[in-house]
Amino acid sequence: MREKEFLPAVSDRLGIERLNDMQLKMMASASEARDIILLSPTGSGKTLAFTLPVMKLLKPSTGRVQCVVIAPSRELVVQIAGVMREVGQGMRVIALYGGHSVEDEVNSLKVVPDVIVATPGRLLDHAVRRNVDLLPVRIVVLDEFDKSLELGFEEEMGRLVRRMKNVSRYILTSATKTDTLPEFLNLNNPLTLDFSASAGDLRSRMRVHRVDADSRDKLESLLTLLHNITRGEAPEKTIIFVNHRESAERVAEFLKSHGVDAVLYHGALDQRERETAVALFNNGSRPVLVATDLAARGLDIEKVASVIHYHQPLTPETYTHRNGRTARVDREGDIYLLLGPDEAVKDYVAFDDTVSLDHAMQANLRSGYTTLYISGGRREKVSRGDILGFFTKEGGIDGASIGKINVYDHYSLAAVRDGEVARLLKSIAGRKLKGEKRRISPLV
């Protein structure tokens, strides 16, 4: 694709007005006939950084798979596929991952995509079953390949690479340096772009605050902290990290019972529940995310203002990844460690100051938005434009009252200002969206 075809989408669809140095360097590197190893910290805009050279290298649709992106988690696969669809308008991008309908994936492969984004095991399964031909693939991206190796995917990745005999360009990304590369890779004079030093710059954009709780049960202090850090009409996006699923559930229920628009995220939720939780957080209708460390890496979470460590992380690596959820792409962020009485501080934590809680302060912890569920998605040929047009034309509300719209395989989610929800639902009752009556209702 030509740059003039995809660069406007970066601004218009992703809201990114200016590329950072890493993204510019990666795009320029596409003209060099060399493989690339990109070393970059969490939160630096890495997904867009490798998407840009891929889009430059793609040819008009050929009826064959041109590029494969392999990532270690289904959340990361969904994130990457979303970015590549936005940037590469006109290129067919599909996502393959565990927890996703195999039947839907098989059907989606009947029209050969230009780009496949997949977890290693699921892509290998499709390849073995001959649902997809990987032989024509020219570009392979191994995103977070260090994490893939750590999780034991080396054998699957090796078997996949051996099926792709016509690859002319590899792009590998990692948050950490490694002395050795997997044996199945035979890289061509690789160019290493090392932006790992920018992790120090990332720390300079973070303010790390100590917060002392009144008791070992820190729930009341957590609620007070949320009131203290909320300045505007609604809370800014905040992630509260805990160490256990049970704790996440307890904290989320407590906050919701005290008027906080919070949502829960952990590994025991099914794929759709996790997908929905991220959408609610990103669209602002649930601006407080209570999560285990599953959310510390690999999620496309936008504009997080604060990270709260309800429990201290167990390792320095986890501490780094949690903090990396904020201060992303040149933004600043606040980190709060909520400490119980006599709780020892981990030796890898360094504070900038101590925050004293004001128990008299009260703030609005509601978002002002409601997310509507729509029973139709990509498979039903429903697009974001269709939903926006339906709500404005048939529902009679202004586009400014409609927030982020997410479209999935068989359903969609749309954020709408609270004051417009009742009128909208009344106006569209019984009306058809894309030729069919669809269930549209608030998520609670």
Side-chain angles (χ1 to χ4, degrees), residues 316-329:
E317 292 78 17
T318 302
Y319 180 62
T320 298
H321 287 307
R322 284 183 179 184
N323 291 349
R325 295 293 87 195
T326 188
R328 296 172 72 89
V329 194

Side-chain angles (χ1 to χ4, degrees), residues 209-229:
H209 314 282
R210 175 178 179 137
V211 184
D212 291 306
D214 297 329
S215 65
R216 294 186 65 185
D217 188 349
K218 298 183 280 190
L219 289 174
E220 292 290 349
S221 295
L222 173 64
L223 181 61
T224 300
L225 176 59
L226 289 174
H227 280 289
N228 280 209
I229 66 176

Side-chain angles (χ1 to χ4, degrees), residues 189-200:
N189 186 25
L191 169 66
T192 298
L193 300 179
D194 189 352
F195 288 85
S196 56
S198 62

Side-chain angles (χ1 to χ4, degrees), residues 134-137 160-168 170:
L134 299 179
L135 188 60
V137 172
L160 285 167
V161 166
R162 286 189 285 274
R163 287 175 174 268
M164 296 182 279
K165 300 181 184 300
N166 293 299
V167 176
S168 59
Y170 283 100

Side-chain angles (χ1 to χ4, degrees), residues 58-71:
L58 289 179
K59 298 177 180 178
S61 294
T62 62
R64 296 182 176 184
V65 181
Q66 299 186 60
C67 173
V68 164
V69 182
I70 298 174

Side-chain angles (χ1 to χ4, degrees), residues 75-255:
E75 286 82 9
L76 192 52
V77 165
V78 172
Q79 169 199 326
I80 294 167
V83 171
M84 297 189 92
R85 287 189 187 107
E86 296 290 10
V87 176
Q89 294 291 303
M91 307 305 290
R92 180 167 165 74
V93 180
I94 68 167
L96 309 175
Y97 53 90
H100 198 209
S101 166
V102 175
E103 183 180 355
D104 280 349
E105 290 183 351
V106 171
N107 288 335
S108 70
L109 287 166
K110 289 178 179 177
V111 178
V112 180
D114 300 289
V115 179
I116 293 176
V117 187
T119 51
R122 181 54 70 94
L123 180 57
L124 182 60
D125 182 63
H126 282 295
V128 169
R129 295 173 184 271
R130 298 186 178 181
N131 296 328
V132 59
D133 179 13
L134 299 179
L135 188 60
V137 172
R138 299 183 298 108
I139 309 162
V140 171
V141 179
L142 302 182
D143 190 32
E144 294 197 2
F145 76 90
D146 57 328
K147 185 68 172 177
S148 294
L149 298 177
E150 178 187 320
L151 293 173
F153 293 136
E154 183 167 357
E155 180 183 350
E156 288 94 335
M157 290 194 297
R159 291 174 64 185
L160 285 167
V161 166
R162 286 189 285 274
R163 287 175 174 268
M164 296 182 279
K165 300 181 184 300
N166 293 299
V167 176
S168 59
R169 184 70 58 94
Y170 283 100
I171 299 174
L172 278 63
T173 81
S174 174
T176 57
K177 296 181 181 179
T178 181
D179 295 328
T180 58
L181 294 174
E183 292 183 0
F184 58 79
L185 288 174
N186 182 22
L187 300 187
N188 172 31
N189 186 25
L191 169 66
T192 298
L193 300 179
D194 189 352
F195 288 85
S196 56
S198 62
D201 177 59
L202 181 65
R203 174 62 180 93
S204 72
R205 302 199 309 274
M206 294 176 177
R207 297 170 296 273
V208 182
H209 314 282
R210 175 178 179 137
V211 184
D212 291 306
D214 297 329
S215 65
R216 294 186 65 185
D217 188 349
K218 298 183 280 190
L219 289 174
E220 292 290 349
S221 295
L222 173 64
L223 181 61
T224 300
L225 176 59
L226 289 174
H227 280 289
N228 280 209
I229 66 176
T230 300
R231 297 285 185 267
E233 296 180 358
E236 291 186 281
K237 289 179 186 172
T238 299
I239 303 179
I240 301 168
F241 280 108
V242 299
N243 288 344
H244 310 288
R245 295 172 183 171
E246 295 79 7
S247 300
E249 292 169 354
R250 178 170 175 261
V251 170
E253 286 305 314
F254 173 84
L255 293 178

